[in-house]
Amino acid sequence: MNNSHILHNPKWRKPIYALKHYCNIAYGMHWFFALTLTGILAFIVTFARDTQAILLKQSQIPLVELYDFSIYQATNTGVETHIKGTKALRYAEYEQSFETILHKIQPHIPNAPRIIEYVYGQEITRTDNIYTFNKGGVYAKNSGEVFYSKRAKYDAKNEVFTGSGAFWASSVEGSMEGQNIIYNQKLQTTTASSVTAKIDLQARKDGK
């Protein structure tokens, strides 16, 4: 094939002339600023990703670590809450503890027994006044009631234990099992679904 024929072919001249139009000084400045802007945008995106990764990593780093801890919360009437566990981690937005038992002592009422609540969990996440049991939760009272649920939450402010899914409960009068238990200490009410109960009639008779 003749090389001169290729060089004089109009099909090759068109793109060359088209590129020449963009290679003058004016367009060179446009290309410079366009490339600079692209570089800045790429830097901002990379910096934002790095910053997000750093913030995420920092949120996963505990602010405080405690081992074999025992914490008391007291008022002018005495000890109100005692929390004891093997390990506790405090993050910016929540706390996590392990093998933890919480004793909550109700204020003394004249001519009435003092109520003590017990909450236990192998792994607990606390956000404000809400305790979430990640590996099962136990709620008990010194009067004999005990509730257990594999998935549970305890609202310490309102004194409400909520078990999601299967639960087991017992008292001096017997035991029961079912689904979705809610126990309200302030109202002294218990609600659940699909309940099967076993009642000790003798214990009930002796309690009267």
Side-chain angles (χ1 to χ4, degrees):
M1 186 179 289
N2 193 341
N3 292 335
S4 62
H5 176 72
I6 296 174
L7 292 173
H8 294 286
N9 193 334
K11 292 181 180 179
W12 289 90
R13 290 178 183 177
K14 266 188 178 181
I16 291 173
Y17 282 123
L19 288 174
K20 270 186 175 182
H21 179 67
Y22 292 100
C23 291
N24 58 40
I25 295 175
Y27 277 100
M29 295 297 292
H30 287 298
W31 281 111
F32 172 77
F33 286 114
L35 291 173
T36 303
L37 180 61
T38 302
I40 292 172
L41 291 175
F43 173 78
I44 291 173
V45 171
T46 304
F47 178 77
R49 288 178 179 174
D50 291 343
T51 303
Q52 186 177 9
I54 291 170
L55 292 175
L56 180 61
K57 187 175 181 181
Q58 286 180 344
S59 66
Q60 296 172 345
I61 298 174
L63 304 176
V64 178
E65 293 186 36
L66 300 174
Y67 295 90
D68 297 323
F69 64 93
S70 186
I71 301 173
Y72 293 88
Q73 296 177 355
T75 63
N76 54 0
T77 59
V79 175
E80 185 179 79
T81 305
H82 176 211
I83 305 174
K84 185 178 181 181
T86 59
K87 182 180 178 181
L89 304 172
R90 176 176 291 179
Y91 297 88
E93 298 180 354
Y94 66 95
E95 298 175 4
Q96 192 172 28
S97 60
F98 302 87
E99 301 290 346
T100 305
I101 183 167
L102 180 148
H103 301 74
K104 188 172 182 181
I105 304 171
Q106 298 291 339
H108 179 65
I109 300 174
N111 303 320
R114 175 168 286 185
I115 298 173
I116 302 176
E117 297 174 274
Y118 302 89
V119 179
Y120 171 80
Q122 185 178 353
E123 183 179 318
I124 299 175
T125 300
R126 176 179 176 268
T127 305
D128 295 328
N129 291 307
I130 305 298
Y131 293 80
T132 302
F133 302 89
N134 303 318
K135 295 183 179 180
V138 178
Y139 173 88
K141 288 170 56 179
N142 59 337
S143 55
E145 292 93 339
V146 179
F147 305 96
Y148 169 79
S149 180
K150 287 185 178 180
R151 291 179 296 167
K153 289 185 178 181
Y154 175 65
D155 185 339
K157 182 178 180 180
N158 297 307
E159 299 176 17
V160 177
F161 178 85
T162 304
S164 301
F167 77 88
W168 175 86
S170 71
S171 67
V172 293
E173 296 181 348
S175 63
M176 65 177 176
E177 58 186 47
Q179 299 284 325
N180 308 321
I181 189 170
I182 300 175
Y183 175 74
N184 190 315
Q185 160 60 26
K186 288 183 178 180
L187 301 178
Q188 292 289 296
T189 58
T190 304
T191 59
S193 57
S194 304
V195 176
T196 301
K198 296 180 181 179
I199 300 174
D200 188 340
L201 297 177
Q202 184 62 40
R204 200 169 190 182
K205 182 178 178 181
D206 295 339
K208 291 182 179 181

